[in-house]
């Protein structure tokens, strides 16, 4: 389990002696440096590093960092809000020792995610990880609800030797194909070994649909741990690829046409150790609370896309009939519905039943995405929101009247449209707080301006190697 406690000046209780012990162990294993990882509002992974022996100082007093990163864009330009984006001020990054791990794909390095607090010791209102910890602890304290979550990872593997900026698939075998698995056999085996060394419990790893595309999914964890693991896995997938002369992209749309890379969220709610999505009196074993949670996610989906699909490239992926889930609908194991109810096997439902939210990609900051999906679901649960009828089949084939009658609507088709929904969504904005909500709006509008006038191929190219 993740500690849900905020860092404090001087260090979380017990952290300094723990860090002292880690220094000895890290040095014995030849670890020289520690990567301190966070993800900005635009979804870009950013880091600072410290020599391993600085760890005790870092957990006591943090590592300095400008708040300006909260309003960075993917192209490293900076936008401003009322409180963010100015060159003034400093924050302290605090590594979470529960997550410290040697990077198997980068010998000599360890890794830890950070929370950020002010120099006065207050939580930084722009910190996505702090936001998710808050959402999770609030649900536990107020409603007695805990969560299990996972973020699927899809990525495209290209040749590092490709002409600058271009994507040349490193495997040409068919979708889900045995050929493709053989083509990248050594890379895949090294990746599985790295995951095991990092104590990541991989459940599946397979060649996906698009050229050079693969997917990996790992066992469910508490939401903060799941978001941390998503960041760690991407660092690992990339590092192992580089050692094989490969280059990876997690961009929602590596090319303008075809199937994109998703980052589907799996989520289940639990109370008193019971899975609310299994063995209940509602549809497919959902309890009334689980139905209302799903209804809340569905109701907020158009606004959620501003958080879960945050890039101009996200809207190259969010197309009908590509399993990205672009309609406000749910269905049991329906891969074209935005919310897929996963029941799992008869006999194993307590362990496996969950909701899959599909219009999510890996340009999304995983802390913001999970926190906002949970906030949306809890809004439904707390207001006992009714879950509409399920759909079967591909909603893209519904006649307009049928879709309207069923409440099935297309999700936003552009970042600007998503931002308008987000602006109007008081539940999501209140959950994020004014500083983060304003950062989301400013950064999305900045990305939209940055991509203005570019055709689809140029949008794909502009973001191809950013995620
Ligand atoms: N690649 C699809 C997407 O962009 C998902 C395929 C799947 O369901 O695994 O969401
Ligand atoms: Mg997939």
């Amino acid at each position: 389990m993740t500690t849900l406690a905020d860092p404090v000046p001087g260090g979380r209780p017990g952290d300094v002696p723990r860090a002292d012990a880690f220094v000895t162990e890290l040095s014995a294993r030849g670890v020289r440096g520690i990567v301190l990882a966070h993800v900005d509002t635009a979804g870009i992974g950013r880091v600072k590093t410290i020599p391993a022996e600085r760890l005790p100082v870092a957990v006591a007093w943090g590592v300095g960092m400008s708040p300006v990163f909260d309003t960075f864009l993917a192209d490293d330009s900076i936008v401003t809000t009322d409180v963010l984006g100015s060159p003034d001020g400093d924050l302290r990054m605090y590594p979470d020792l529960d997550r410290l791990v040697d990077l198997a794909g980068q010998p000599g390095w360890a890794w830890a995610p950070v929370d950020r607090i002010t120099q006065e010791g207050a939580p930084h209102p722009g910190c996505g990880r702090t936001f998710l910890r808050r959402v999770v602890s609030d649900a536990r304290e107020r409603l007695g609800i805990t969560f299990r979550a996972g973020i699927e990872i899809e990525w495209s593997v290209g040749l590092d030797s490709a002409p600058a900026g271009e994507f040349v698939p490193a495997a040409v075998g068919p979708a889900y194909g045995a050929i493709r698995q053989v083509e990248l056999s050594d890379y895949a085996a090294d990746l599985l070994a790295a995951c095991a060394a990092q104590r990541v419990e991989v459940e599946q790893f397979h060649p996906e649909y698009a050229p050079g595309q693969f997917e990996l999914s790992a066992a469910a964890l508490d939401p903060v741990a799941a978001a941390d693991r998503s960041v760690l896995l991407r660092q690992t997938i990339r590092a192992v690829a580089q050692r094989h002369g490969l280059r990876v992209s997690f961009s929602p749309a590596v090319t303008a046409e075809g199937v994109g890379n998703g980052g589907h969220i799996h989520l289940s709610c639990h109370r008193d150790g019971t899975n609310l999505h299994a063995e209940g009196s509602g549809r497919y074993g959902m309890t009334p609370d689980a139905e209302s949670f799903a209804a809340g996610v569905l109701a907020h989906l158009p606004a959620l896309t501003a958080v879960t699909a945050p890039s101009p490239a996200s809207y190259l992926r969010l197309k009908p009939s590509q399993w990205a889930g672009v309609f406000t609908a749910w269905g049991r194991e329906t891969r074209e519905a935005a919310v897929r109810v996963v029941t799992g096997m008869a006999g194993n439902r307590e362990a496996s039943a969950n909701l899959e939210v599909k219009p999510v990609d890996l340009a999304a900051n995983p802390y913001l995405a999970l926190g906002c999906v949970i906030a949306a679901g809890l809004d439904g649960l707390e207001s006992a929101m009714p879950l509409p009828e399920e759909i079967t089949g591909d909603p893209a084939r519904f006649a307009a009247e049928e879709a309207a009658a069923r409440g099935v609507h297309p999700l936003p088709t552009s970042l600007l449209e998503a931002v308008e929904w987000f602006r109007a969504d008081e539940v999501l904005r209140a959950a994020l707080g004014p500083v983060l909500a304003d950062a989301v709006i400013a950064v999305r509008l900045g990305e939209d301006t940055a991509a203005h006038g570019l055709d689809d191929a140029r949008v794909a190219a502009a973001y191809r190697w950013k995620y």
Side-chain angles (χ1 to χ4, degrees):
M1 288 294 279
T2 306
T3 174
L4 296 179
D6 291 328
V8 289
R12 290 176 171 113
D15 264 8
V16 174
R18 234 177 128 195
D20 281 331
F22 276 134
V23 170
T24 310
E25 293 169 22
L26 290 168
S27 146
R29 295 196 299 267
V31 173
R32 301 269 173 231
I34 302 175
V35 176
L36 305 180
H38 71 106
V39 183
D40 70 16
T41 317
I44 304 296
R46 309 230 181 232
V47 302
K48 278 203 164 183
T49 78
I50 52 170
E53 56 274 18
R54 288 287 295 179
L55 186 61
V57 179
V59 299
W61 304 111
V63 173
M65 174 192 147
S66 163
V68 80
F69 291 104
D70 294 317
T71 48
F72 258 52
L73 303 184
D75 68 0
D76 301 336
S77 59
I78 303 163
V79 294
T80 53
T81 69
D82 287 348
V83 290
L84 296 171
S86 107
D88 304 323
D90 200 38
L91 296 169
R92 308 302 295 179
M93 312 166 81
Y94 276 71
D96 186 338
L97 287 183
D98 288 348
R99 290 284 120 68
L100 183 72
V101 62
D102 292 9
L103 287 173
Q106 292 176 258
W109 290 95
W111 177 97
V114 298
D115 292 293
R116 294 175 294 154
I117 63 175
T118 68
Q119 289 171 314
E120 277 61 53
H124 170 50
C127 177
R129 192 171 190 268
T130 301
F131 159 68
L132 179 57
R133 283 192 295 103
R134 285 274 155 87
V135 169
V136 170
S137 59
D138 176 63
R140 194 179 63 184
E141 281 158 25
R142 231 162 31 79
L143 303 165
I145 291 183
T146 57
F147 304 94
R148 310 278 292 157
I151 302 174
E152 293 181 2
I153 299 188
E154 292 186 335
W155 73 99
S156 305
V157 186
L159 295 174
D160 211 8
S161 56
E166 284 181 27
F167 172 69
V168 176
V172 295
Y176 309 100
I179 294 175
R180 203 185 293 178
Q181 195 276 330
V182 174
E183 286 178 289
L184 291 187
S185 179
D186 289 347
Y187 164 57
D190 280 358
L191 180 54
L192 286 177
C195 290
Q198 291 173 186
R199 303 184 298 281
V200 172
E201 194 187 332
V202 174
E203 289 191 335
Q204 278 189 45
F205 175 26
H206 60 268
E208 250 289 346
Y209 191 87
Q213 192 183 35
F214 285 78
E215 172 175 338
L216 184 147
S217 47
L221 298 171
D222 76 79
V224 182
D228 289 340
R229 187 185 56 195
S230 174
V231 180
L232 170 66
L233 268 173
R234 281 180 263 170
Q235 176 106 7
T236 305
I237 289 167
R238 175 165 281 131
V240 175
Q242 198 171 301
R243 296 166 82 81
H244 286 267
L246 304 169
R247 190 173 192 194
V248 302
S249 172
F250 302 96
S251 173
V254 174
T255 53
E257 303 299 327
V259 168
N261 289 316
H264 305 172
I265 284 179
H266 286 263
L267 190 61
S268 54
C269 309
H270 303 253
R271 193 187 275 124
D272 302 327
T274 302
N275 184 344
L276 301 185
H277 307 263
E279 318 296 346
S281 58
R283 283 161 278 181
Y284 303 119
M286 286 186 274
T287 61
D289 276 345
E291 284 206 359
S292 291
F293 188 91
V297 174
L298 271 181
H300 289 283
L301 260 184
L304 275 171
T305 51
V307 177
T308 62
S311 167
S314 300
Y315 297 83
L316 301 176
R317 164 184 172 252
L318 284 183
K319 291 177 188 153
S321 310
Q322 300 200 351
W323 290 15
V326 298
F327 291 94
T328 57
W330 72 276
R332 182 189 180 193
E333 303 292 3
T334 300
R335 285 177 170 76
E336 289 296 350
V339 175
R340 168 183 166 213
V341 168
V342 180
T343 56
M345 282 291 287
N348 193 35
R349 298 210 159 132
E350 175 61 36
S352 55
N354 69 85
L355 297 180
E356 180 184 47
V357 185
K358 295 176 80 76
V360 186
D361 62 49
L362 299 172
N365 175 314
Y367 304 97
L368 300 186
L370 268 169
C372 285
V373 169
I374 291 172
L378 289 180
D379 180 48
L381 185 147
E382 289 191 83
S383 56
M385 218 179 262
L387 183 65
E389 287 304 304
E390 71 177 307
I391 62 136
T392 54
D394 186 349
R397 302 216 173 94
F398 293 174
E401 313 79 65
E402 185 189 358
R406 289 167 174 248
V408 173
H409 303 291
L411 288 174
T413 55
S414 72
L415 191 49
L416 222 43
E417 198 189 327
V419 170
E420 289 318 311
W421 281 93
F422 177 81
R423 266 190 216 278
D425 194 311
E426 288 178 10
V427 170
L428 293 187
R429 291 208 349 248
L432 285 162
V435 172
L436 255 179
D438 281 359
V440 166
I441 293 170
V443 167
R444 302 298 176 265
L445 294 179
E447 293 297 357
D448 181 70
T449 304
H452 188 74
L454 300 183
D455 64 19
D456 288 355
R458 286 215 164 106
V459 170
Y463 291 91
R464 182 174 294 145
W465 304 115
K466 302 294 184 187
Y467 310 110

